[in-house]
Amino acid sequence: MSSFIFRRFLLMIPTLFMISLISFIVIELPPGDYITSYIANRMAQGDSPRQDEIDALTKQYGLDQPVQIRYLKWLANVVQGKFGFSFEWQLPVSDLIWDRLGFTVIVALSALLFSWFVGLVVGILSAVYQYSVWDYLFTALSFIGLGTPNFLLALILMWMAFAYFGVNISGLFSREFVDAPWSIAKFVDLLKHLWAPAIIVGTAGSAGLVRTMRANLLDELSKPYVETGRAKGLNELRLVLKYPTRVALNPFVSTMGWALPQLVSGSIIVSVVLSLPTTGPLLLRSLLTQDMYLAASFLLMLSTLTIIGTLISDILLALLDPRIRMGG
Amino acid sequence: MDVDRSGSRASRPRAAGDTDPPGNAPLSSGGAFKPSATKAGDFHLDMDEVYDDTASYLDANEEQDRLYVAAPLQMMWWRFTKHKMAVVGGVIVILLYLIAIFAEFLSPYNPETYEVALTYAPPQRIHFFHEGKFQGRPFVYGLTQARNPETLRMEFQIDETVRYPIYFWPEGDSYRIWGLFESNRHLFGINEAVVDEAREEGAPSFATLFVLGADKLGRDMLTRIIYGSRISLSIGLIGVILSFLFGVVLGGISGYYGGAVDVIIQRLIEFIRSVPSIPLWMALSASLPRDWSSLRIYFGITIILSLIGWTFLARAVRGRFLAMREEEFILAARFAGAGEMRIILRHMVPSFFSHLIASATLAVPAMILSETSLSFLGLGLRPPTISWGVLLQESQNLRSVALAPWLLLPGVVIIVTILALNFLGDGLRDAADPYR
């Protein structure tokens, strides 16, 4: 088992290296750099920066050096945990990203928990009561859930909460807690705000899980051992939960690997709509202003998150299924 | 047929209920097709039942014959039509694409026709009755603006004194359909002449037909949604065709040759998939130059979307190739001396093409969603290009949505489109393998 994990860790290194390269290239692609967009902004405000000021800025940010040098320097810094300097915020990138990555993980994980919970409960209900009114209702709902882009769901929920209840569901904290240091009250406040993004980001995933859970459990329920259990007088609830549900649970773990990237991706657009303090809004802004080190670091860290997520799900699967761990 | 019948009887164990009069035995024990007819203890013989049984037995046999001689396409069609939701989805998809093709003609206005006074004008109901009397022709009431004494905001009110009948083929804004034929006829609308007349008489109300309301600049939402469908639906289709090409070529090479090429392509696919797609899309679309024309942006976005989309199709193609390589009929073709290209094109591709079409159909909604999300964020298509995502950009502002909820209507259209395409794709996927 440990050799399996070790092998997977080794495989991560070249992948991460490739990702850092791609992130950097993608950020370098647009014509011009931060200086040009900075000049354009200044021009739009009606004054033009002097040439020596531009030169000084270019030199200060190291933008006069060729691309490959800048990449290698950045990479060397990243390995040491430094991500470069954000031009726009005039702050080291590492000061900006950790909080936001943390909140991204929190939102993604709570969305995952939500979709597991809904997938489990609703999936079991619609399999056990197959072809009942509830089954049809849940089936219809899960199809709609699959077909609704999550930013649209965010818009609709926001509008409904605002128009009918006068509540604003955007943000992760109430105003008085945004800059407050961590405390129990702040944590409670976070929980009060977390449900909306968790539901919005998790809906598509839970719709998919409901479908899989229902199909798998239906397969299991028609097997003879279930009939045997019933004939022996097992209570129906216990019977369903104890054996078939366990077997049907497998996809929950195996789909986690690709569910996490989707949740991280999904949370980005949703957090732009809901203006959450996660990576989304800042990444969008840094891409638009060509704040390249910030954008590249975000891309790198988000990809790392997904790779770690995939790794965890692979390890869990290997723990569950000896065939995977032996075959490697 | 006779052989088949006796065979099915002999193979069936004799149950207690089968002690019927001998003459009827073959009929009711045609139980291979209708087993419930011969339950134990079912001794009474109703003549109607026997007759019914015979009929269904013959039917079943004819059905069997029909099935044996049917062409694969015919069988796929049968299987597809059994899937009711897929048929409904297919009809909706065809309608949507027809709407996109004939956008200019079907929409009552031009998408850029604006009237600032009509900002966020609400949807108008189409009426048939005025004061309880049937009017013979649908009409809308005029819209007037008045200040709400409580909120002091200008609000739209329905002016029931003026009626604007809705005509078919009225003259309206002129357009060039597909940039070729100039015309000013629309499918429906209110007559220009009536509108002019009302204006000359100094009617205080606006003569408009906003079935789905108006946007910030007083442009008709219905028209804009119809025009938006042209971009959004075509980007899905073109994007899938592009990723189809990438996917079939690379997946085909990977699956057919195997070995080192296969390993490299598979690692590449795994790598692309391990990068979270939306941030990557965002970064790539942000890198499109701002001064590009809308046509170039359109193709740029399409290519970006298919750069990631091809991996899914490539996996499907490779899997099919791997499975197909081991099939007997491929071996037979090889023994018969067929060349590699002939085997691929004549024997392999036709046998999994239907699967590919099904997976491609299932990829279209994902494409449409991605374009919509990107444009919604302001990274994809930008106004004046009209797509559903661009239209939804306006609804980012919570206050304007609270004021004009119909700004969310493009979202409803998106959901319907995605669902229809998903059902169609599911149906096609099930139908693609009629022998299962």
Side-chain angles (χ1 to χ4, degrees):
Chain A
M1 186 65 203
S2 54
S3 79
F4 170 80
I5 297 177
F6 182 69
R7 254 204 326 269
R8 288 301 316 255
F9 261 107
L10 277 188
L11 258 178
M12 261 178 77
I13 295 170
T15 317
L16 284 177
F17 176 73
M18 280 290 288
I19 286 177
S20 77
L21 189 64
I22 299 273
S23 317
F24 203 84
I25 291 175
V26 164
I27 304 301
E28 273 289 327
L29 270 180
D33 49 32
Y34 178 71
I35 303 293
T36 40
S37 67
Y38 173 77
I39 296 172
N41 268 340
R42 287 278 296 268
M43 298 278 246
Q45 284 164 17
D47 68 334
S48 50
R50 292 185 317 276
Q51 189 56 45
D52 56 325
E53 191 186 344
I54 295 172
D55 289 344
L57 273 175
T58 313
K59 202 160 176 56
Q60 183 194 337
Y61 295 148
L63 290 173
D64 50 343
Q65 288 163 328
V67 185
Q68 60 272 28
I69 303 286
R70 275 188 284 147
Y71 169 66
L72 288 178
K73 274 192 173 167
W74 180 67
L75 192 65
N77 276 328
V78 166
V79 175
Q80 299 167 34
K82 290 180 281 186
F83 291 91
F85 194 76
S86 162
F87 306 141
E88 203 196 353
W89 294 76
Q90 297 290 323
L91 281 171
V93 169
S94 34
D95 286 5
L96 287 166
I97 61 170
W98 290 117
D99 271 6
R100 294 187 168 252
L101 280 174
F103 286 125
T104 306
V105 172
I106 290 176
V107 169
L109 282 184
S110 47
L112 186 70
L113 285 182
F114 171 78
S115 60
W116 274 0
F117 177 75
V118 173
L120 191 68
V121 173
V122 177
I124 292 177
L125 283 180
S126 35
V128 173
Y129 301 109
Q130 193 190 7
Y131 301 137
S132 68
V133 181
W134 291 112
D135 183 28
Y136 284 120
L137 181 73
F138 289 137
T139 305
L141 277 181
S142 67
F143 274 120
I144 293 176
L146 274 178
T148 313
N150 49 22
F151 74 88
L152 193 63
L153 195 63
L155 279 178
I156 293 172
L157 271 187
M158 251 170 103
W159 164 61
M160 289 208 176
F162 184 78
Y164 295 107
F165 302 102
V167 200
N168 192 349
I169 56 168
S170 62
L172 274 184
F173 298 104
S174 314
R175 200 166 294 149
E176 63 267 28
F177 285 110
V178 171
D179 292 318
W182 279 101
S183 61
I184 294 183
K186 184 171 180 176
F187 183 67
V188 172
D189 189 56
L190 172 68
L191 290 186
K192 273 187 203 156
H193 284 81
L194 199 56
W195 63 270
I199 290 177
I200 292 165
V201 178
T203 296
S206 51
L209 277 180
V210 168
R211 306 304 310 150
T212 347
M213 186 71 201
R214 179 178 179 273
N216 282 11
L217 195 55
L218 280 178
D219 277 355
E220 286 302 315
L221 282 178
S222 62
K223 286 189 178 161
Y225 74 86
V226 179
E227 204 59 38
T228 312
R230 201 168 282 143
K232 290 205 166 206
L234 255 180
N235 155 337
E236 188 69 28
L237 181 74
R238 248 182 82 113
L239 171 74
V240 171
L241 288 186
K242 193 149 186 197
Y243 305 104
T245 305
R246 275 204 208 167
V247 182
L249 264 184
N250 228 15
F252 277 61
V253 180
S254 60
T255 56
M256 200 178 97
W258 54 260
L260 267 179
Q262 280 186 352
L263 290 176
V264 170
S265 283
S267 77
I268 283 178
I269 301 187
V270 169
S271 51
V272 171
V273 178
L274 292 178
S275 53
L276 306 180
T278 59
T279 37
L282 205 57
L283 172 66
L284 180 63
R285 175 132 192 88
S286 65
L287 286 171
L288 290 176
T289 56
Q290 301 191 13
D291 193 351
M292 52 170 301
Y293 292 120
L294 185 57
S297 306
F298 267 136
L299 273 188
L300 178 62
M301 290 314 290
L302 286 173
S303 312
T304 313
L305 269 186
T306 25
I307 289 179
I308 292 176
T310 320
L311 180 71
I312 293 175
S313 96
D314 280 357
I315 292 175
L316 282 180
L317 258 191
L319 279 176
L320 283 181
D321 193 339
R323 282 168 302 182
I324 296 173
R325 131 175 119 230
M326 297 310 175
Chain B
M1 261 227 238
D2 262 331
V3 179
D4 193 36
R5 188 192 295 176
S6 58
S8 79
R9 186 160 33 133
S11 65
R12 203 172 149 274
R14 285 194 77 81
D18 275 353
T19 49
D20 299 337
N24 286 318
L27 293 181
S28 50
S29 72
F33 299 106
K34 208 175 175 187
S36 61
T38 52
K39 273 206 177 122
D42 228 11
F43 274 95
H44 71 283
L45 268 173
D46 195 328
M47 271 328 278
D48 279 353
E49 195 182 313
V50 172
Y51 174 75
D52 272 346
D53 222 25
T54 323
S56 74
Y57 176 49
L58 288 178
D59 271 359
N61 252 335
E62 271 168 26
E63 184 82 358
Q64 205 78 24
D65 282 352
R66 225 154 55 98
L67 215 58
Y68 285 144
V69 297
L73 267 180
Q74 182 71 55
M75 290 175 74
M76 283 179 206
W77 177 246
W78 285 340
R79 221 182 138 91
F80 178 72
T81 46
K82 258 194 211 161
H83 202 321
K84 289 285 174 294
M85 288 308 284
V87 176
V88 173
V91 170
I92 293 177
V93 169
I94 291 173
L95 282 180
L96 282 168
Y97 275 96
L98 282 179
I99 289 175
I101 291 171
F102 297 105
E104 288 96 342
F105 170 66
L106 293 174
S107 52
Y109 291 97
N110 268 6
E112 303 302 339
T113 306
Y114 67 94
E115 175 59 65
V116 182
L118 287 167
T119 295
Y120 298 139
Q124 287 168 287
R125 279 214 14 227
I126 294 174
H127 298 265
F128 286 93
F129 293 92
H130 179 61
E131 288 166 351
K133 263 186 288 176
F134 184 63
Q135 294 296 310
R137 173 178 284 292
F139 66 92
V140 289
Y141 289 120
L143 276 180
T144 51
Q145 272 186 321
R147 200 169 284 281
N148 185 327
E150 278 169 46
T151 58
L152 294 180
R153 242 197 236 123
M154 289 300 276
E155 277 179 3
F156 285 98
Q157 277 164 354
I158 295 169
D159 178 8
E160 296 212 356
T161 58
V162 214
R163 295 191 304 273
Y164 296 106
I166 297 169
Y167 290 94
F168 280 106
W169 327 108
E171 294 186 15
D173 298 331
S174 61
Y175 56 83
R176 270 173 181 277
I177 193 160
W178 311 315
L180 291 176
F181 311 108
E182 189 152 354
S183 167
N184 60 356
R185 296 270 170 190
H186 294 256
L187 177 65
F188 66 97
I190 43 183
N191 207 323
E192 281 284 282
V194 178
V195 176
D196 290 341
E197 206 175 292
R199 230 171 252 151
E200 272 168 28
E201 281 173 16
S205 53
F206 298 103
T208 53
L209 176 64
F210 289 157
V211 182
L212 299 181
D215 70 353
K216 190 172 61 190
L217 294 175
R219 295 173 294 198
D220 179 33
M221 277 305 273
L222 175 65
T223 302
R224 291 179 69 75
I225 290 177
I226 290 178
Y227 272 82
S229 70
R230 179 171 278 183
I231 301 286
S232 292
L233 290 176
S234 68
I235 226 169
L237 211 56
I238 296 178
V240 165
I241 290 173
L242 274 181
S243 31
F244 199 75
L245 288 181
F246 284 131
V248 170
V249 170
L250 287 171
I253 290 173
S254 181
Y256 194 79
Y257 291 105
V261 191
D262 183 31
V263 171
I264 292 173
I265 293 178
Q266 289 314 305
R267 285 294 96 77
L268 182 69
I269 290 179
E270 272 166 31
F271 172 71
I272 292 178
R273 285 222 211 153
S274 72
V275 183
S277 51
I278 287 175
L280 190 62
W281 272 325
M282 283 165 70
L284 284 172
S285 357
S287 69
L288 295 179
R290 300 244 123 195
D291 50 356
W292 271 17
S293 68
S294 43
L295 192 69
R296 282 172 81 179
I297 294 270
Y298 173 87
F299 282 110
I301 295 287
T302 317
I303 289 171
I304 288 173
L305 293 181
S306 42
L307 272 184
I308 298 171
W310 69 270
T311 56
F312 293 88
L313 285 167
R315 274 275 160 100
V317 175
R318 174 177 174 268
R320 286 283 142 190
F321 258 108
L322 285 181
M324 205 64 78
R325 257 198 328 206
E326 315 294 328
E327 292 277 348
E328 278 91 355
F329 71 94
I330 299 295
L331 200 65
R334 195 160 289 147
F335 281 150
E340 293 288 281
M341 272 331 265
R342 189 179 162 82
I343 291 178
I344 295 180
L345 293 179
R346 191 81 189 89
H347 298 285
M348 288 173 117
V349 171
S351 59
F352 64 72
F353 199 66
S354 48
H355 280 272
L356 287 188
I357 296 291
S359 351
T361 313
L362 282 172
V364 176
M367 272 305 160
I368 293 177
L369 270 189
S370 317
E371 180 276 323
T372 311
S373 314
L374 281 179
S375 304
F376 173 76
L377 287 176
L379 288 171
L381 303 168
R382 283 182 284 266
T385 313
I386 306 165
S387 83
W388 292 336
V390 174
L391 290 181
L392 277 176
Q393 254 179 316
E394 267 196 55
S395 58
Q396 268 191 15
N397 186 335
L398 196 51
R399 280 178 202 288
S400 42
V401 177
L403 206 64
W406 48 93
L407 288 179
L408 288 175
L409 282 173
V412 178
V413 183
I414 293 173
I415 297 178
V416 170
T417 311
I418 304 290
L419 283 180
L421 279 164
N422 270 334
F423 281 125
L424 173 67
D426 276 345
L428 285 178
R429 192 179 51 194
D430 288 349
D433 200 356
Y435 301 101
R436 210 167 32 159

